[in-house]
Amino acid sequence: MRIFISTGEVSGDLQGALLIAALKRQAVTAGLELEIVALGGDKMAEAGAMILGDTTGIGSMGLLESLPYVLPTLMVQRRAIAYLKQNPPDLVVLIDYMGPNLGIGSYMQKHLPNVPVAYYIAPQEWVWSIGLRNTSRIVGFTDKLLAIFLEEARYFRNNGANVSWVGHPLIDRMENAPSRQAARSQLGIADEKIAIALLPASRWQELKYLLPVIFQAAQNIQAKLPEVHFWIPLSLEAYRKSIEAAIKDYGLRATIVSSQQKEVFAAADFAITKSGTVNLELALLNVPQVVVYRLHPVTVWIARKILKGSIPFASPVNLVVMKPIVPEFLQEQATPENITQAAMELLLNPERRQQTLADYQEMRQSLGELGVCDRAAKEILEMF
């Protein structure tokens, strides 16, 4: 059985790899042989997919921010559609990556209507209140939508989709994370040292809009707590030089690590992070955090004034339970001063820290039970 999987960016590559491993496990049980072809990255390739196009570096948030990626996105989308035309698969699985996947899904609906399409981790239309056009398209070409959030499941079910809620795959991924003690031992961090994780970027635009404000806040914290050391796990090796230069410019005592993100998270006392999947990973390891996000001012103006868009929260941690578990500083509020103040409170105020950990436990209950990836894989294989 040939499965075509389409996803993009760093987080999509991770989720795709977890799903591929589960599909292979479930295929053995079902007596199936799988051939998996994909748009994705190195992690999916390691899991056993033949990668048709590397999409980990093609992605952005925002309108103006996405312009440099329009041509590369169209090219990889056309390559995928040309492949599908010549080699119709038995099943298509779309993971997030809204722009290209809307095009691929629409192509399947029009030209290969007999090939079932599953959408796993649907675009967050349930968060953005900017009309139903994309929602209608997703519902139209999707035979089964596998939701990872309860609110996502409710939203798409209410809009006519065939939905199964499987839970969040990070529940599976973080189950094997090292203990704080083991992680600190591996990274060489003494028990008494304050370790802060900095997570400024998984997209190029974030190096421009987020790294300076996060590093300025880190500089402020370092001045107040001289014993602190910062740890920066790379999401892509291509960002190393930019981050090394910034560490030097801001005079930070910081270490960059590759391929040890879980160890850094498990060892950390605190994190300053961009909004994204990493927020949930940190929460599942009980690491207090401050979440930051900025887009180009013109993008924000268009979203607010013309598209009339609004979001209740940016961080998935807060979205899961629709309450402010972790501080979020977005756009104008994302200043070094605001980040520093919130960080110092979470680092030095035991009551504030304990409240965060209690709220994390509440959030954890809404993410489902272990075995998420295998549940999703079973649902997908049942579509053959």
Side-chain angles (χ1 to χ4, degrees):
M1 294 291 187
R2 182 186 292 130
I3 299 178
F4 180 81
I5 300 177
S6 172
T7 189
E9 305 193 289
V10 173
S11 61
D13 185 37
L14 168 63
Q15 304 299 358
L18 293 172
L19 180 64
I20 289 166
L23 284 167
K24 292 196 163 191
R25 284 193 298 271
Q26 294 302 318
V28 169
T29 304
L32 293 171
E33 266 192 58
L34 298 184
E35 177 191 337
I36 298 173
V37 180
L39 296 180
D42 290 343
K43 287 187 172 64
M44 289 171 70
E46 287 166 17
M50 186 194 93
I51 301 300
L52 194 64
D54 189 338
T55 53
T56 51
I58 308 174
S60 62
M61 286 279 286
L63 303 170
L64 294 185
E65 294 84 350
S66 65
L67 291 178
Y69 301 100
V70 170
L71 192 57
T73 298
L74 283 173
M75 287 173 69
V76 80
Q77 185 185 60
R78 282 178 184 169
R79 195 185 312 164
I81 288 172
Y83 174 85
L84 292 166
K85 186 176 181 181
Q86 293 295 321
N87 308 275
D90 297 294
L91 180 72
V92 168
V93 180
L94 307 176
I95 302 176
D96 200 0
Y97 207 40
M98 184 165 78
N101 281 347
L102 284 178
I104 290 169
S106 297
Y107 175 84
M108 296 303 299
Q109 184 181 23
K110 186 174 181 181
H111 298 284
L112 294 168
N114 295 324
V115 177
V117 174
Y119 217 131
Y120 174 54
I121 312 180
Q124 292 190 333
E125 293 295 291
W126 54 281
V127 176
W128 297 87
S129 52
I130 309 183
L132 291 171
R133 182 173 174 270
N134 288 334
T135 299
S136 299
R137 287 180 69 187
I138 292 165
V139 171
F141 62 65
T142 301
D143 296 288
K144 184 181 284 186
L145 192 144
L146 302 172
I148 62 172
F149 295 109
L150 281 167
E151 194 60 38
E152 172 196 2
R154 276 193 287 268
Y155 173 85
F156 281 103
R157 191 174 287 122
N158 289 343
N159 281 286
N162 172 24
V163 178
S164 292
W165 176 62
V166 292
H168 203 291
L170 288 183
I171 291 289
D172 294 354
R173 172 171 156 76
M174 303 317 287
E175 178 69 9
N176 297 320
S179 67
R180 173 185 163 88
Q181 190 174 2
R184 286 200 158 216
S185 174
Q186 196 169 338
L187 294 168
I189 304 172
D191 285 347
E192 69 278 5
K193 288 290 183 184
I194 298 175
I196 296 180
L198 301 180
L199 299 139
S202 64
R203 303 180 178 100
W204 280 110
Q205 73 186 68
E206 292 161 351
L207 290 173
K208 178 179 178 181
Y209 294 120
L210 301 183
L211 186 144
V213 70
I214 288 175
F215 275 30
Q216 179 63 64
Q219 189 183 59
N220 295 346
I221 293 166
Q222 184 173 277
K224 295 172 187 290
L225 301 171
E227 69 276 23
V228 77
H229 192 90
F230 299 101
W231 293 82
I232 307 169
L234 281 182
S235 54
L236 288 175
E237 191 61 34
Y239 302 157
R240 182 182 289 273
K241 284 188 178 178
S242 298
I243 293 174
E244 283 177 342
I247 288 170
K248 191 174 178 182
D249 289 345
Y250 287 90
L252 299 181
R253 287 187 300 279
T255 302
I256 297 174
V257 295
S258 295
S259 307
Q260 287 183 298
Q261 189 179 69
K262 276 200 281 193
E263 285 76 11
V264 170
F265 289 0
D269 296 294
F270 178 73
I272 304 174
T273 171
K274 52 156 279 180
S275 173
T277 305
V278 290
N279 305 153
L280 285 173
E281 294 182 75
L282 290 161
L284 289 170
L285 291 173
N286 285 322
V287 180
Q289 60 190 296
V290 169
V291 176
V292 184
Y293 215 82
R294 275 181 168 178
L295 293 166
H296 193 289
V298 174
T299 293
V300 174
W301 185 87
I302 292 169
R304 288 172 178 169
K305 303 294 184 183
I306 298 176
L307 300 177
K308 306 295 184 186
S310 64
I311 55 170
F313 298 106
S315 166
V317 173
N318 294 340
L319 283 167
V320 169
V321 288
M322 288 293 175
K323 79 175 198 181
I325 293 176
V326 298
E328 291 183 1
F329 297 110
L330 312 179
Q331 215 54 27
E332 301 88 352
Q333 297 301 312
T335 65
E337 295 73 27
N338 284 345
I339 298 165
T340 303
Q341 184 177 347
M344 295 304 292
E345 186 178 2
L346 281 164
L347 280 164
L348 301 179
N349 183 337
E351 287 182 12
R352 180 74 179 84
R353 191 177 182 88
Q354 280 307 118
Q355 184 59 55
T356 298
L357 299 184
D359 288 341
Y360 279 170
Q361 290 309 307
E362 178 193 345
M363 180 215 72
R364 166 68 181 79
Q365 302 309 311
S366 300
L367 293 180
E369 299 302 319
L370 272 173
V372 172
C373 296
D374 283 286
R375 282 196 293 278
K378 272 185 185 175
E379 294 260 6
I380 288 166
L381 294 181
E382 284 170 4
M383 296 173 70
F384 280 128

